[in-house]
Amino acid sequence: ESLEALVRQGIAADIANTSGSLVTTGHFPPIYQYLFQHEPQALESTRWILLAKDYLRFKLTGKIGTEICDATGTHLIAMPEQQWSSDLCTLLDVPQEKLPEIGLSSSVAGEISSEAARETGLRTGTPVVYGGGDSHCALLGLGVTGSAELGMLLGTNSTLRASFQGFIRSSGDYIVWKQQHVVPERFTVSASSMAGSSVLSWFKTHFCREFSANDEVQAYQELEASAAVIKPGCDGLLFHPYLHGERSPFYNPNARGSFLATAYWHTKGHFVRSIMEGVAFSIANCFDVLQDIASQRNERIQTLRIAASGGGQSALWKQIISDVLALPIDIMQVEEPGCLGAALLAGVGVGIYQEIQDAVQCAVHLRSRTLPDATHTEIYEERRSVFNKTFQALEPILYQ
């Protein structure tokens, strides 16, 4: 409702043009506009407008503040500027005096107060560093800190986020989002599909009742084994993984999943592999956008980094994604890259590391690499074309 109003009034376009990033559902502008229209008294009685982690930091330190990475995610900064934009605040009726000061992600924001120490058991005076957004900290934990470098979080969704030196001023008519990285002078572009490991979880839960709910690991191992014996292309079976709609590289919350060209010879293994391939195709569509943005800057993304957790635990799925993207995948020696990235920012803030790159060099390591199979890539190029054409044919009929 609020987003539709912002679009209808032309405000969403003005925000995107000024801030440098598109506005969609779940972003600050429509959420704020909803409160502004329906609960104005709550905003009037509010002294500070804070993000969740900034409120937690306030409770720990008694200090009000935010950091540049998440601050750019509010669409209240005209990137590459580093401070609140009075024009954007006026556009959204946000009182600028209620916004906190902005610090660097790796700088000290305050210290543990005596009250917080009593509540948490932490030592009074322990320094607290600003930190950053979860996926940006994960990029740092994966070592994605340079230019035209790419990381992926294959969890509930499939989030691809590329790092670039300097702000990306234009990127065509793509559904992507831009933010300041937690690394100074780096900006990120995100293309995030709603399809991820949640799709495989849905299939396991509803169609594989033989598996015990108490042994998730074994269940996924058996599903992967059943898919591993199926040839690339699934003997014609095709799957659109849009169970939750889609947001990038196209936006359609009404999109839905579908199995196509099902035949009598298709087994459970075919269905499992078609899910893995369908998610890989949606990831590839997002990747094409990011690679195109890199090429506009005379750069090229050479590899993809992922964590050794979530979908990154599946050797078969990693190989399928590598084959579909025709890109090497580096599996890093970390299971929780967001936690590692936050810890590295803290290490820089308290002086354990001189610079963020020093922290990455010391703590981020490669576990293994998956290389694409050229023969499989050729098969998947044709199958992805069919994947996209069939969805484009179905969309105006079923998903409007």
Side-chain angles (χ1 to χ4, degrees):
E1 174 190 340
S2 297
L3 178 60
E4 290 175 357
L6 291 176
V7 171
R8 187 171 56 251
Q9 298 165 16
I11 296 175
D14 290 342
I15 294 171
N17 290 335
T18 304
S19 72
S21 188
L22 292 177
V23 180
T24 60
T25 304
H27 285 156
F28 174 83
I31 294 172
Y32 179 82
Q33 282 300 296
Y34 182 88
L35 290 172
F36 185 78
Q37 294 169 10
H38 297 280
E39 300 185 36
Q41 69 284 354
L43 290 176
E44 289 174 7
S45 62
T46 296
R47 173 60 189 91
W48 295 104
I49 298 174
L50 299 176
L51 298 170
K53 78 176 196 312
D54 299 329
Y55 177 75
L56 177 60
R57 192 188 315 106
F58 162 69
K59 296 296 287 185
L60 289 173
T61 66
K63 304 289 185 182
I64 295 291
T66 190
E67 45 73 41
I68 189 61
C69 173
D70 267 352
T72 55
T74 65
H75 294 82
L76 294 178
I77 292 179
M79 293 182 285
E81 299 299 321
Q82 304 283 294
Q83 295 298 327
W84 305 114
S85 164
S86 58
D87 290 342
L88 287 166
C89 288
T90 300
L91 194 60
L92 284 167
D93 294 306
V94 176
Q96 195 166 342
E97 67 274 9
K98 293 189 177 185
L99 298 175
E101 290 189 8
I102 301 172
L104 293 177
S105 301
S106 58
S107 60
V108 175
E111 297 177 342
I112 296 294
S113 66
S114 56
E115 181 181 358
R118 288 193 299 271
E119 293 289 334
T120 65
L122 296 170
R123 183 178 298 177
T124 302
T126 301
V128 178
V129 171
Y130 275 111
D134 55 356
S135 62
H136 288 80
C137 285
L139 281 188
L140 180 57
L142 293 172
V144 179
T145 60
S147 195
E149 294 184 354
L150 180 65
M152 181 175 70
L153 303 177
L154 182 54
T156 303
N157 307 319
S158 303
T159 298
L160 288 173
R161 199 179 289 271
S163 170
F164 293 99
Q165 183 172 11
F167 182 59
I168 302 89
R169 295 191 176 276
S170 64
S171 54
D173 297 325
Y174 303 132
I175 306 298
V176 296
W177 300 274
K178 306 169 191 175
Q179 269 181 268
Q180 163 85 52
H181 202 337
V182 293
V183 183
E185 300 180 3
R186 298 289 188 271
F187 290 80
T188 66
V189 182
S190 174
S192 181
S193 170
M194 293 294 291
S197 58
S198 59
V199 183
L200 190 58
S201 176
W202 160 81
F203 183 82
K204 177 189 72 66
T205 300
H206 294 286
F207 302 102
C208 304
R209 299 293 176 84
E210 71 272 20
F211 295 129
S212 169
N214 298 322
D215 200 347
E216 293 275 306
V217 174
Q218 181 180 355
Y220 284 113
Q221 287 176 343
E222 292 187 22
L223 287 176
E224 180 175 356
S226 71
V229 298
I230 306 301
K231 297 181 296 184
C234 288
D235 293 318
L237 184 63
L238 191 69
F239 177 64
H240 293 138
Y242 307 122
L243 301 185
H244 307 287
E246 189 54 293
R247 60 186 176 188
S248 186
F250 67 90
Y251 181 77
N252 186 349
N254 297 317
R256 292 295 178 261
S258 58
F259 288 101
L260 300 178
T262 309
Y264 71 90
W265 57 76
H266 289 137
T267 65
K268 180 180 291 185
H270 285 91
F271 282 86
V272 175
R273 186 174 186 117
S274 71
I275 288 172
M276 291 180 166
E277 291 182 351
V279 172
F281 293 149
S282 67
I283 290 171
N285 288 341
C286 290
F287 172 72
D288 284 350
V289 172
L290 298 177
Q291 188 69 285
D292 186 48
I293 292 171
S295 67
Q296 293 172 24
R297 297 164 51 90
N298 296 317
E299 296 180 286
R300 185 165 184 80
I301 298 170
Q302 303 287 350
T303 188
L304 169 66
R305 290 190 173 195
I306 66 173
S309 58
Q313 294 176 296
S314 169
L316 175 62
W317 213 346
K318 286 181 290 192
Q319 187 64 61
I320 290 172
I321 295 170
S322 178
D323 293 343
V324 171
L325 269 59
L327 196 74
I329 295 180
D330 287 345
I331 300 91
M332 309 310 291
Q333 188 72 38
V334 59
E335 294 185 1
E336 297 292 344
C339 294
L340 176 59
L344 295 183
L345 290 174
V348 174
V350 300
I352 295 175
Y353 307 108
Q354 291 297 312
E355 303 286 346
I356 288 179
Q357 293 298 343
D358 298 332
V360 170
Q361 187 173 359
C362 288
V364 180
H365 305 291
L366 177 67
R367 172 183 288 188
S368 62
R369 170 172 281 190
T370 298
L371 297 175
D373 183 313
T375 303
H376 295 173
T377 296
E378 185 176 353
I379 295 171
Y380 284 136
E381 184 176 358
E382 184 273 333
R383 294 303 293 166
R384 181 155 71 104
S385 176
V386 175
F387 172 89
N388 288 324
K389 287 178 180 177
T390 50
F391 180 78
Q392 289 162 9
L394 289 172
E395 188 175 27
I397 302 172
L398 296 175
Y399 309 136
Q400 294 299 315

